[in-house]
Amino acid sequence: MLSVCKSGLVASLVLMLGACGGGGGGGGGGNPAPSGPAPTYTLSGTIALPETAAVDSDTNDGLQSGRVRNNNFASAQAITTPIQLVGTVNVPGAGPVGVNFAAGDADDYFKTPLTQGQVIEMSFVGGTGADDVDVYLVEDGTGLLVGSATSASASKCIQIGRTSVYYIRLQATQGAALYNLRISAPGDASCSITSTSTDPIIADELVVKASARATSTSRAAALQAAGLQSVDGETRGRPHLLRLPQDEDQRATGLARLEHWHRAGAAPRARNTSGDFPGRFRRARRAMETLEYAKRLMATGLYEYVEPNFRVEMLATYAPTEPLYVAQRWSYQQINQPSAMDRILGLALPPSTQRPIVAVIDSGIVNDHPDLQAQISGGYTFVSSSSGALGDGDTPDPNDPSTGADAPNWHGTHVAGTVAAIDNNGKFGAGVAPQALLMPLRVFAPGKSASSFDIVQAIRYAARLSNRSGTLPARAADVINMSIGSSGACPAQFSTEIANARAQNVVVVAAAGNGAHNDLGTAAAVSSPANCPGVIAVGALDARQQQTFYSNSGPTLRLMAPGGDAYQSTTGTGYSDAIYSTLGSFDVSGRTPSFGPLMGTSMASPHVAGVIALMRYVNPAISPTDIDTLIANGQITDDLGALGRDDTTGYGLIDARKAVDEAIALASSGVPPLGIVVASPASISLGSLSSSATMELKLTAPGTETVSSVVSNSAAVTVTPASIDAITRLGMYTISVDRSLLPLGTSFPTLTITTSTRGFNVQLTVIKAATAGSSTASYGRMVVQVSNATTGAALGQVIVSVTNGKYIWSIAGIPAGQVRLIAGTDLNHDFFFCDFGEVCGVYPDTADSIAVTGSMNGLNFAVAPTGTTASDLAMSEVNKQPPKQQPKIRVIAGNAP
């Protein structure tokens, strides 16, 4: 319990007498006045710290013990993990007046070894609603920026993608903030952003889309002030590319002018000097400045979105080195494709039936491959030539230009063949949907990454929307397949253009990513763009119908399909369990068509894209929403894993026969399928900080299913209706956890939702951190105060420093009566302790007050960071202000920190 007032919210303490229950006054309050001198007593005890407790080494408290600056790479504070660290950051002139106020403490750097699967979680709170703190992750060995969290949210995270030594930079971009930095043990938490081993963004490039609410004149003025150049010119309604200044001083000036622009005349603050970035970190500096440019330009309100130009990779992995010419029987049988083809052939559809088009956004295609040549319908190449590191230019030809020197893996050709290779031509193999046509859209130069800017152009082209090429296909694609990905949350440029594509009746399918090590117990979040709204994210199964060791997991995973495992051979054919499809190869005569194995979620995604093409073949009118509903209802899948949808296998394995049957039935009836009850979010992580979360039970489409019960399998978890319909019981529920009933470490309680027709589970993740003392544990100086239980008047106070992981305190002169005892930090030096985001604790934690009838010792209690629960942060996000607090209790005058 971290509350002081009976109503249960966190208290704060400042430099003058105040009250939790109102009223100031002197020492006695509600105690009867004695007839003579009143006896006083001494209270004493120990405040225990969690073993993971730590404090920023340069908070705004000028009297902080052992204070050392940690504001650049050279002075980075060494930390060990797991850790729960509290600290402060501020730009010059922002926040409470303390040691950092004038010059600022905009950056805190930390250095630590981190293991794959650990998660960096940072939550912050400011005082104005405009405060902001970003998180950057730089790998020590390479000097590269390998992760960032720069959204406007007050809670940010990065999951570690590989074991290494890292620098963590927390940067205040506006205002001042108290922050809580937690780094979990491997597997203790999850995050949608996973660090990479290479640059995740293309430094010095921004992808922007103009806002209709601002004028081009205003945008031109902002770009000129910031030193930004338009690469391809602004065109109404579509994204375009901006280039940052190349000179470091010009970039610093441009950032300062942008800050001046969006802060409505506030004086620009000093920028970092090159001395803060040793030579091996200069690439990281450029990447971080690109992200800061994006944030500041977005804050001008002139653009619908402003984002970096992300690097995007092909997702096939572990390709065998020698070709294997084998049948594709096991993977097609796994999705019931032969039965689906029997059903379609039995319909005897006329030759004039429209063939669906599948756009394959990838590395291009071997356009003279006999299994593909007759299937190709148009296509284009979007490969920016503006950046020498990336491109070979745009062209109407989507042919894969790789040479033998490029050592290509023919990724796009392999994916295209799985979708729609022609059948019955006596050559190599067949695709899932040989009735479909292919629209190859190349976004990769040989041996290079793709850029997010090029990918959004390809999405728009496939959807028959205006794009950089100035041309449109004769017909929009029915399905887009993207067997590509990058770590991190879905960028606005992807989500916007995917939504635009769906509005054109295009179904979007993408690979979930190959970043996991499920064989070692380490999961990875679904990649972008698969994690974007409206995308069908596909994970991979092996020939035994088990999740592959590499397949990513998470709340956005929708379906599973064969992705293969080249390290196994279980099908009885003598060949590996990889996925076999069209390829190219080189011999003395040049490029020749070929056929062979790859594995990855890249191979799983086109299985699903092909099935959806079959659905469009038998029912051209079926919509993306219809397909979403059929997936959520479980009508076109075979359930795997836990009952109902789960983070490991989504809604289950795609079943081509079920999908074709449902599409035919929908075409016959013309009535959309009934919706079913689903939970949003589909899984909930409370981490180690949050004590509550919300869950919505809703229908995927109009339907008759209702909720019967929501039951937890753990006594520590309670479910309370917050706002639900009295009859259907659909609506919002509050999930609360009492960690005192849980063991230390990570627990996985389960909610079982029973409906009028079925049941399904929602997985919870709750972490209870250890509370044992540690000789190195510290939260900075601690204020301990005794107050009158009735009036809230302060009776005594002491400020203590940590000793061997403990605060030993003693307060004399306390009169008899009912008192409250509270302890907390004042790291931001605003003369309030236990402020929102500070460390706080009370004694006792089971009652509102204690009775003082004599001196008392052994008053031992614990403290912890406060005000970072999910509900608190959600309210802060809505109001852009810290959550409401009880009336504040002040530090006694003359005894202030």
Side-chain angles (χ1 to χ4, degrees):
M1 175 176 174
L2 299 176
S3 58
V4 179
C5 301
K6 190 170 184 178
S7 58
L9 291 182
V10 177
S12 300
L13 318 170
V14 195
L15 181 53
M16 303 172 77
L17 297 180
C20 188
N31 298 321
S35 56
T40 60
Y41 306 100
T42 298
L43 307 184
S44 62
T46 299
I47 297 171
L49 291 183
E51 61 181 355
T52 54
V55 65
D56 164 26
S57 63
D58 65 346
T59 69
N60 203 33
D61 178 3
L63 297 179
Q64 178 181 0
S65 177
R67 175 183 173 79
V68 178
R69 296 289 281 177
N70 61 358
N71 59 341
N72 55 36
F73 285 102
S75 61
Q77 180 179 342
I79 58 175
T80 58
T81 63
I83 195 171
Q84 178 109 30
L85 183 145
V86 292
T88 64
V89 284
N90 67 285
V91 301
V97 177
V99 67
N100 296 330
F101 175 78
D105 177 29
D107 296 287
D108 281 347
Y109 284 75
F110 305 94
K111 183 178 182 180
T112 183
L114 294 172
T115 300
Q116 183 180 30
Q118 288 191 273
V119 174
I120 301 167
E121 299 173 282
M122 191 279 297
S123 301
F124 73 89
V125 63
T128 68
D131 313 280
D132 197 12
V133 182
D134 290 336
V135 184
Y136 298 102
L137 184 69
V138 176
E139 188 171 9
D140 181 32
T142 64
L144 299 178
L145 178 72
V146 295
S148 60
T150 60
S151 70
S153 171
S155 181
K156 304 175 184 182
C157 64
I158 302 174
Q159 182 165 307
I160 302 304
R162 75 171 181 177
T163 300
S164 188
V165 176
Y166 293 94
Y167 290 90
I168 302 166
R169 179 192 185 191
L170 305 185
Q171 181 191 35
T173 58
Q174 291 189 83
L178 284 158
Y179 64 81
N180 290 178
L181 175 68
R182 176 183 178 271
I183 305 177
S184 68
D188 274 358
S190 62
C191 178
S192 64
I193 300 174
T194 302
S195 68
T196 64
S197 58
T198 58
D199 294 315
I201 68 171
I202 301 168
D204 303 332
E205 292 188 359
L206 298 176
V207 180
V208 302
K209 189 172 185 180
S211 170
R213 296 184 298 274
T215 65
S216 58
T217 302
S218 298
R219 284 189 291 272
L223 297 186
Q224 182 177 9
L228 291 162
Q229 295 181 336
S230 177
V231 174
D232 55 342
E234 178 179 314
T235 301
R236 184 179 180 88
R238 71 169 177 85
H240 67 284
L241 195 66
L242 300 179
R243 177 81 38 76
L244 272 63
Q246 296 301 297
D247 180 78
E248 289 182 356
D249 292 336
Q250 290 178 352
R251 289 201 302 273
T253 300
L255 279 170
R257 287 175 175 172
L258 273 181
E259 182 177 19
H260 178 75
W261 182 288
H262 88 261
R263 292 177 66 195
R269 62 182 173 91
R271 311 300 313 166
N272 283 322
T273 65
S274 59
D276 292 334
F277 292 84
R280 67 193 183 96
F281 296 119
R282 294 296 173 86
R283 286 179 65 182
R285 173 187 181 155
R286 289 175 60 200
M288 286 188 276
E289 287 181 340
T290 301
L291 289 162
E292 190 172 357
Y293 254 102
K295 174 166 278 191
R296 300 227 177 271
L297 188 59
M298 184 65 188
T300 64
L302 302 174
Y303 292 92
E304 184 177 329
Y305 61 73
V306 180
E307 294 181 326
N309 197 6
F310 292 98
R311 297 184 191 276
V312 182
E313 307 293 340
M314 292 178 279
L315 292 175
T317 57
Y318 314 111
T321 58
E322 53 193 30
L324 299 172
Y325 299 94
V326 299
Q328 303 149 304
R329 185 176 62 246
W330 79 262
S331 64
Y332 288 1
Q333 286 181 341
Q334 189 175 92
I335 65 170
N336 211 10
Q337 187 262 1
S339 179
M341 290 296 291
D342 288 343
R343 178 73 196 277
I344 292 172
L345 294 174
L347 295 174
L349 295 173
S352 60
T353 300
Q354 179 172 281
R355 299 176 67 183
I357 297 174
V358 179
V360 177
I361 299 178
D362 214 292
S363 63
I365 195 168
V366 175
N367 59 3
D368 57 353
H369 197 294
D371 278 6
L372 302 175
Q373 190 171 20
Q375 306 290 76
I376 298 173
S377 176
Y380 211 89
T381 287
F382 294 95
V383 179
S384 301
S385 59
S386 59
S387 173
L390 281 177
D392 52 36
D394 295 353
T395 170
D397 182 7
N399 180 55
D400 187 334
S402 298
T403 66
D406 298 316
N409 66 357
W410 309 107
H411 189 274
T413 298
H414 195 281
V415 169
T418 299
V419 173
I422 197 169
D423 61 350
N424 299 316
N425 68 344
K427 298 296 183 180
F428 295 103
V432 172
Q435 295 89 341
L437 296 170
L438 292 166
M439 181 191 291
L441 297 170
R442 183 168 72 88
V443 293
F444 289 89
K448 305 262 177 54
S449 301
S451 78
S452 56
F453 178 59
D454 290 341
I455 291 166
V456 298
Q457 301 299 324
I459 293 171
R460 291 183 64 85
Y461 182 92
R464 211 168 184 273
L465 297 169
S466 63
N467 59 85
R468 189 173 73 215
S469 74
T471 64
L472 298 174
R475 203 176 98 216
D478 294 274
V479 186
I480 293 174
N481 183 88
M482 291 187 283
S483 291
I484 56 180
S486 62
S487 65
C490 175
Q493 56 193 283
F494 281 172
S495 61
T496 299
E497 302 311 333
I498 287 166
N500 288 337
R502 282 176 59 94
Q504 301 301 310
N505 211 32
V506 181
V507 180
V508 183
V509 183
N514 305 326
H517 287 271
N518 299 309
D519 51 335
L520 302 177
T522 303
V526 172
S527 300
S528 169
N531 60 7
C532 294
V535 176
I536 299 173
V538 185
L541 297 176
D542 61 21
R544 299 171 300 170
Q545 207 161 294
Q546 301 295 314
Q547 182 193 32
T548 59
F549 66 90
Y550 53 78
S551 184
N552 291 358
S553 306
T556 55
L557 183 67
R558 300 276 295 281
L559 295 174
M560 302 298 286
D565 185 344
Y567 300 127
Q568 297 183 22
S569 179
T570 65
T571 61
T573 64
Y575 299 108
S576 76
D577 294 350
I579 302 299
Y580 293 84
S581 183
T582 46
L583 294 172
S585 62
F586 289 100
D587 58 22
V588 293
S589 64
R591 188 180 76 179
T592 61
S594 181
F595 192 81
L598 291 176
M599 72 185 215
T601 56
S602 281
M603 285 59 257
S605 182
H607 281 81
V608 172
V611 170
I612 293 171
L614 293 178
M615 298 174 75
R616 275 281 170 90
Y617 184 61
V618 299
N619 182 358
I622 195 167
S623 70
T625 301
D626 291 336
I627 293 170
D628 290 342
T629 301
L630 291 170
I631 292 172
N633 288 0
Q635 291 173 258
I636 60 174
T637 57
D638 297 326
D639 194 18
L640 302 172
L643 180 67
R645 195 215 160 271
D646 60 80
D647 285 357
T648 302
T649 60
Y651 290 101
L653 169 64
I654 187 70
D655 186 307
R657 176 58 188 261
K658 289 181 180 178
V660 168
D661 286 345
E662 291 294 343
I664 293 171
L666 187 57
S668 301
S669 68
V671 178
L674 292 176
I676 62 168
V677 175
V678 296
S680 179
S683 60
I684 297 171
S685 175
L686 292 163
S688 66
L689 301 175
S690 300
S691 58
S692 64
T694 57
M695 174 184 71
E696 182 180 10
L697 296 180
K698 59 184 181 180
L699 288 170
T700 58
T704 59
E705 192 174 23
T706 60
V707 176
S708 302
S709 63
V710 182
V711 178
S712 168
N713 68 348
S714 170
V717 176
T718 58
V719 183
T720 306
S723 176
I724 66 171
D725 183 88
I727 298 175
T728 65
R729 298 185 64 80
L730 296 170
M732 303 301 298
Y733 289 78
T734 299
I735 316 300
S736 303
V737 61
D738 180 355
R739 286 184 174 80
S740 67
L741 301 178
L742 292 173
L744 291 178
T746 305
S747 299
F748 301 97
T750 299
L751 302 181
T752 298
I753 291 91
T754 303
T755 73
S756 53
T757 60
R758 63 196 174 91
F760 64 94
N761 295 330
V762 172
Q763 185 72 64
L764 308 181
T765 301
V766 184
I767 301 167
K768 181 177 179 180
T771 57
S774 170
S775 61
T776 60
S778 175
Y779 279 137
R781 296 193 306 151
M782 190 74 59
V783 181
V784 185
Q785 190 178 98
V786 179
S787 62
N788 182 280
T790 303
T791 67
L795 304 175
Q797 174 185 287
V798 65
I799 300 174
V800 293
S801 295
V802 70
T803 302
N804 195 30
K806 299 178 181 179
Y807 296 95
I808 301 171
W809 63 273
S810 178
I811 302 176
I814 304 302
Q818 293 293 126
V819 301
R820 292 193 179 99
L821 179 61
I822 184 168
T825 58
D826 181 25
L827 301 175
N828 64 351
H829 202 256
D830 64 352
F831 301 106
F832 291 80
F833 68 89
C834 272
D835 209 351
F836 187 82
E838 298 268 15
V839 172
C840 191
V842 298
Y843 181 92
D845 63 0
T846 56
D848 287 332
S849 63
I850 57 174
V852 175
T853 58
S855 293
M856 305 172 70
N857 56 28
L859 303 179
N860 305 329
F861 59 106
V863 294
T866 65
T868 52
T869 66
S871 57
D872 286 338
L873 289 173
M875 186 61 67
S876 176
E877 293 288 344
V878 170
N879 296 333
K880 296 301 178 186
Q881 294 287 342
K884 293 181 179 179
Q885 302 292 293
Q886 291 293 331
K888 295 181 176 181
I889 302 174
R890 299 176 182 270
V891 175
I892 297 174
N895 201 4

